[in-house]
Amino acid sequence: HEGREAGWMESIVGVTGNRAPQWIYQSLLRLPPGKSWVGRLRLPQRKPSPAGFVVADAEIAKAILTHPDTTKPAGYDEFDFICGAPNIISTNGMQWKHARKGVAPAFSSNHIKRMSHICLEQLERWREEFLDPIAESGEAFDVGIEMIYITLRVIAEAGFEYDISHDEMNSFVEAFEISSREFIIMNPYHRRFQILFPQVWRAKRASKCLQVLAYKIMNSFRAKNEGKEKKDNAYADDTIISRIVNNEHYANDAERAADIVMFLVAGHDTTAYSIAWTLFEVAKNKDDAQIKEYRKIAEKKEDKDLKKIVELDYIIKEGMRLHPVAAMGSARQIGKTFEFKNDDGSSNIYLPKYSLVFLVLYPLFRHKKYFGDDADSFLPCRWKNCSRNMQFAHMPFSLGSRNCVGQSLANAEMTTVLSVLLAKYDFTVVDDGEADYFLTLKPKGTMLTARKLM
């Protein structure tokens, strides 16, 4: 950092602040030319980890993510406090395998089509109730918050067969914010003397609210399907909730509720903020050739064909690249010693066995080695005839066996929502807001106005 190594206190402040991805990016930019973007991260380590590292190099990241001895580190067990039990995010071994295998059929192509239809219905509801009146009045709206409402409704109905109310959505978002900020980066004194700190008790009440909603969803599903015949250990709809409720490998309903909470969390904000960031960039770059081309072609297309326009894919990919919502990527504990060459072929890079490795997407997606000298700019055209090197480095849903199980739904939602909004509305930035990081990179206070085009 600034030509020197950051100390452990500076590193803690850097990686736990609301600009952690940018802090790591700026630190890696200071590496000498020809050096791979790998850095030692001086943080207190849990045994048996001997060291911590950040990696923003595609080849090294892929080698680590796809290696069979790579596992989720112990730090993910902080999610157990929020969800009430070990869950699909925090566990390794057979519990994780049974949960992942059990829910995977819910994301098959047939079910994605059904969920896309629900997404379109919810989008039309939001347009009618909110966006069209706002467009007519010229009033600005917070794009991050509004996209949260859409994606929460979609995952609740499409994945859990549950009609979530507005009050339940607000309660869910607030409870997750309170519980995650206390438990994910927990003050060691809070952890040891929990009874003395009101923040801990407040966070525990918040996490209980999340679990209560999960049980409501489970009970609602069971009540609706009481007496119905099962097929292949699930009901005919084969939704996420069906696969969880009927997965006999769960020890109890507490574990089922924990995974319901985790899917609700992971299934709404990452998609919502990816859509919001893309709308923000489109509003800032109205004269971009790919945006103009998409709208020109969209004028002659029916709504059902908008998703097939190739320029839309370029726009979405670029939005996700420039503002990766999972900006800090994922952490892994490596089960073997890795050795790599620097980009210039000079001295080797050693990552000792059991090291904690942060595979950080924000600097990786702005690395000039993969995305050129204009890597900090929003240019959807870069994906037209893009290089294999660029495709290789773009991994917004991670890689390997622990990649995002719901990525097909996330892609379907983004494509459905953005295909309609970009074709039918012109957006203008009223307030840039700021990029705020905590678990996800969100546009905080970003205000847009909308004008109907067609």
Side-chain angles (χ1 to χ4, degrees):
H1 189 61
E2 297 181 353
R4 58 178 174 79
E5 290 187 347
W8 68 269
M9 181 57 74
E10 187 178 353
S11 296
I12 290 175
V13 173
V15 300
T16 59
N18 70 341
R19 292 186 59 80
Q22 295 92 330
W23 182 83
I24 291 176
Y25 177 45
Q26 293 301 320
S27 298
L28 291 172
L29 280 173
R30 296 184 179 94
L31 287 173
K35 299 299 181 183
S36 297
W37 277 17
V38 178
R40 175 77 180 271
L41 192 59
R42 297 191 178 278
L43 294 174
Q45 297 297 316
R46 292 186 182 186
K47 292 182 179 181
S49 177
F53 296 89
V54 291
V55 170
D57 182 279
E59 292 80 5
I60 297 175
K62 183 177 181 180
I64 291 171
L65 287 168
T66 58
H67 196 277
D69 292 335
T70 296
T71 60
K72 283 282 187 80
Y76 281 93
D77 59 14
E78 312 294 4
F79 284 101
D80 298 351
F81 290 101
I82 298 169
C83 301
N87 54 80
I88 195 169
I89 293 293
S90 66
T91 54
N92 289 296
M94 294 309 297
Q95 182 176 345
W96 167 77
K97 288 181 180 179
H98 288 315
R100 172 92 180 204
K101 185 177 180 180
V103 80
F107 297 100
S108 68
S109 57
N110 286 337
H111 292 302
I112 293 302
K113 288 179 183 178
R114 175 187 61 80
M115 288 192 262
S116 295
H117 180 69
I118 290 172
C119 180
L120 186 59
E121 289 178 343
Q122 290 293 350
L123 176 63
E124 293 305 308
R125 174 183 171 185
W126 178 74
R127 288 175 60 199
E128 181 180 340
E129 295 178 357
F130 179 84
L131 188 59
D132 286 348
I134 281 286
E136 188 172 342
S137 69
E139 186 179 346
F141 65 96
D142 189 311
V143 65
I145 291 175
E146 289 304 319
M147 294 306 106
I148 286 287
Y149 289 142
I150 293 176
T151 54
L152 254 181
R153 284 196 178 111
V154 170
I155 190 66
E157 182 181 353
F160 297 100
E161 303 180 37
Y162 186 78
D163 185 13
I164 191 169
S165 70
H166 198 79
D167 286 344
E168 285 175 323
M169 287 192 291
N170 285 332
S171 177
F172 177 85
V173 171
E174 182 182 12
F176 179 67
E177 177 76 8
I178 293 169
S179 59
S180 61
R181 285 196 178 272
E182 176 61 32
F183 291 136
I184 298 300
I185 307 176
M186 196 172 191
N187 185 305
Y189 292 105
H190 289 198
R191 183 185 298 277
R192 190 167 183 180
F193 306 107
Q194 295 184 22
I195 196 170
L196 301 178
F197 294 96
Q199 303 97 312
V200 177
W201 289 102
R202 184 169 179 252
K204 285 185 174 182
R205 288 194 296 271
S207 63
K208 186 66 176 178
C209 287
L210 299 175
Q211 295 153 37
V212 166
L213 177 60
Y215 275 98
K216 281 183 69 176
I217 290 171
M218 259 195 300
N219 292 337
S220 172
F221 174 80
R222 284 170 171 156
K224 285 189 296 186
N225 289 278
E226 188 175 1
K228 287 187 179 179
E229 184 180 352
K230 298 179 186 178
K231 180 181 180 182
D232 296 331
N233 200 37
Y235 296 103
D237 287 342
D238 214 17
T239 53
I240 299 171
I241 185 64
S242 172
R243 301 299 303 186
I244 290 175
V245 167
N246 293 289
N247 187 338
E248 296 176 354
H249 291 288
Y250 285 106
N252 49 48
D253 274 354
E255 289 187 359
R256 291 185 176 91
D259 272 357
I260 291 171
V261 171
M262 206 66 257
F263 274 108
L264 281 172
V265 168
H268 84 281
D269 64 345
T270 51
T271 306
Y273 294 137
S274 292
I275 296 170
W277 279 121
T278 303
L279 286 175
F280 170 68
E281 287 295 344
V282 168
K284 283 207 314 180
N285 296 275
K286 297 175 185 286
D287 293 330
D288 178 83
Q290 304 304 311
I291 296 172
K292 285 185 171 182
E293 184 66 15
Y294 172 76
R295 285 177 169 156
K296 180 180 177 182
I297 297 172
E299 290 176 357
K300 305 171 185 177
K301 297 283 186 180
E302 296 182 20
D303 285 359
K304 64 181 179 66
D305 296 322
L306 292 176
K307 292 186 286 188
K308 301 174 185 177
I309 302 175
V310 69
E311 283 76 11
L312 178 66
D313 183 54
Y314 303 156
I315 294 167
I316 292 173
K317 278 185 176 178
E318 187 67 352
M320 294 180 72
R321 181 197 69 83
L322 198 60
H323 304 283
V325 174
M328 291 292 283
S330 53
R332 294 291 187 268
Q333 189 162 50
I334 54 177
K336 59 160 283 186
T337 296
F338 283 92
E339 181 179 347
F340 303 96
K341 290 280 190 183
N342 272 298
D343 289 344
D344 59 7
S346 64
S347 59
N348 291 349
I349 298 168
Y350 292 95
L351 304 180
K353 185 177 181 179
Y354 300 131
S355 290
L356 179 63
V357 181
F358 293 88
L359 303 144
V360 189
L361 297 185
Y362 188 91
L364 172 60
F365 289 178
R366 291 172 181 247
H367 201 320
K368 292 181 180 180
K369 179 172 77 169
Y370 305 107
F371 298 100
D373 291 339
D374 53 10
D376 288 320
S377 300
F378 180 79
L379 294 171
C381 63
R382 76 173 75 248
W383 296 101
K384 191 174 184 178
N385 302 318
C386 66
S387 67
R388 292 184 64 183
N389 202 31
M390 190 185 302
Q391 290 178 334
F392 180 74
H394 193 244
M395 51 183 86
F397 298 103
S398 192
L399 297 172
S401 61
R402 299 301 296 254
N403 68 349
C404 175
V405 68
Q407 61 183 282
S408 55
L409 174 59
N411 279 321
E413 283 187 82
M414 286 187 285
T415 303
T416 299
V417 172
L418 288 167
S419 67
V420 173
L421 295 185
L422 298 191
K424 299 182 181 296
Y425 300 88
D426 176 52
F427 295 94
T428 299
V429 178
V430 175
D431 189 335
D432 285 7
E434 62 177 338
D436 181 67
Y437 180 81
F438 179 71
L439 297 181
T440 52
L441 185 67
K442 54 184 71 67
K444 183 179 180 181
T446 300
M447 306 295 292
L448 307 182
T449 56
R451 179 177 62 86
K452 294 188 75 170
L453 294 175
M454 51 189 296

